[in-house]
Amino acid sequence: MKIDRKHFRDQVMGCWLGKNAGGTLGEPLEEKFGRKEMFHVDWYPSLPEGGIPNDDLELQLIWLQQLQKKGPGLTAADLTEAWKDCVAYNFDEYGLCKENMQKGLMPPVCGWHNNAFQDCMGSPIRSEIWACIAPGCPEIAAWYAFQDGIVDHGGGESVYGEIFNAVLESCAFVNGDKFVLLETALASIPSTCTTYQCVKQSIDNYHAGMGYEENRNDLAERFYHPVAQYSPLNLGFQTIGWLYGEDFGDALCKAVNCGWDTDCTAATLGAILGIGGASSLPEKWIAPLGYEIATNMANGGIRNLTAPTDIRELTEAVCTEAERVISYWGKEVWFSDDGIAEKEEKPAAPELKFLEKYAADSLVYSMGGLKETVRYESDAAILGNRSSKICVTLENPHPIEKEIRIALELPEGFNAPQAGERTLRLKANEKAETEYIIQAESGRIQESNLCWLKMKIKGEPAVPAIPVVLLGGNRWMISGCYPDKTIEDDCGLDEHAWFVRPPEGFTEQWNGGNDLQTGKHFQEKGVVYALHQLYSEEEKAVVLGVPNNGYMKLY
């Protein structure tokens, strides 16, 4: 494949201009929950100079600077450094994955454990940078999108959403047929996932002659989710805008009018359409925003940003990285200045072998020439009232037998019958699994509990120990049910007292994550009390998010 640099720059610039336009159009209409009624916009609801700051775009500036720093071998582990250094957002999946990182978990487990937002839009909106550095090479774009998505959405639909977008956008650099692009992108993700099914349904409805609003309502009913950021439905709406849009502005407005995560659907669609080239974008929609990207750096959303925020400079930086990435992967792609582009007529759907081995509950290491996999069972937590199971698999990829001594070192107050030292002999290409059933005294459980898997391979250099992190579960005290009471009634307790110890009749309940699961305590209509202690070493303002589908009081 031969890529003309001048045309490529025009495409990359169009991608970012379109992204900025779509995000600015949809951001004022974004809500926390999806609503039945459609919007009816045909122009920017708000138009500040430079557009409206949006995490969709500014997070990708951070990924670019991390790519420049780490090089084309960038992995999920490298991106976690950027999260810690540069991302100050703490809402939804961003905050939950960052909390898991701070307590010691690595991807994909930091995106999988205790994450109620793993099916949301945080990662599908970050696909463009990977497509732009891998034009016409969808398997490379998909690999980077996968590394990105698993950090804060491990095990969720959103990983497939980001791969879908990255593949589609990468192929858009070499093919302009929307149906070919949609077919190729769909073929890159499992047909069993909800993202595939929702996008496919939107296409099938279109070909069946269903109208724009009818298609939208059909998806909203079939794939309903109350949270506006639910990614499968939003990718369906993104597709509807593209299928029915008569031009750039109409397509973006149709995507926004579908509702749910309005800035994200329009921003991604704007980027896709923009890959047709900045020179082809309508001045009416682009000129009012200019070339400077507005960011939330001043508002504390991001920090330590060094990547260019001028779209012209950003384009040059991305084009430079694209040539470096293509060279690194050894692809038969040439960049030239002769004004001639040669490419395949129809891009092939990538075979993503890495998805076959993808397990969001597992961490994979390569220490001492072995392959070590640490797999959590149901969560990455240790509770005071139950054991936690960890499975460790050692694999010997060498042509000779290895003798390995292994032991699991536990914190004080923790125990596991299998933790003591044992010897394994692994023949060539053989693997062995060891199960550790770990229990802990409740008073010894910390927020983060670090175990070490130690190995010594006979006759070989020392092997670094592998960290096995167990996060402390949440301990609550739950009352029995006070039948036939409402939250306004007196249940015989001083509700405003500071409970040094729980009142009589309260029982201990441990949870691996934030889900309290109070429903099981209601055998009849009534009131239940749940007590939990929070402690801060310093005085500071915080936000407590307490979602609930019943009635409650919070003290």
Side-chain angles (χ1 to χ4, degrees), residues 284-297:
K284 169 188 173 182
W285 286 91
I286 302 303
L289 302 180
Y291 287 89
E292 183 65 24
I293 298 170
T295 72
N296 279 305
M297 191 150 61

Side-chain angles (χ1 to χ4, degrees), residues 6-22 57 128 132 169 173 248 252 266-282 285-286 289-291 311-312 314-316 318-319:
K6 182 178 179 182
H7 179 59
F8 179 53
R9 278 195 296 271
D10 187 51
Q11 290 181 296
V12 173
M13 183 175 291
C15 175
W16 300 121
L17 289 171
K19 183 83 171 177
N20 197 27
L57 187 45
E128 287 79 24
C132 286
E169 291 158 345
F173 279 96
F248 177 84
L252 264 57
T268 300
L269 182 53
I272 293 169
L273 297 172
I275 291 173
S279 56
S280 67
L281 290 175
W285 286 91
I286 302 303
L289 302 180
Y291 287 89
I311 289 178
R312 291 160 295 200
L314 173 64
T315 297
E316 293 303 320
V318 169
C319 289

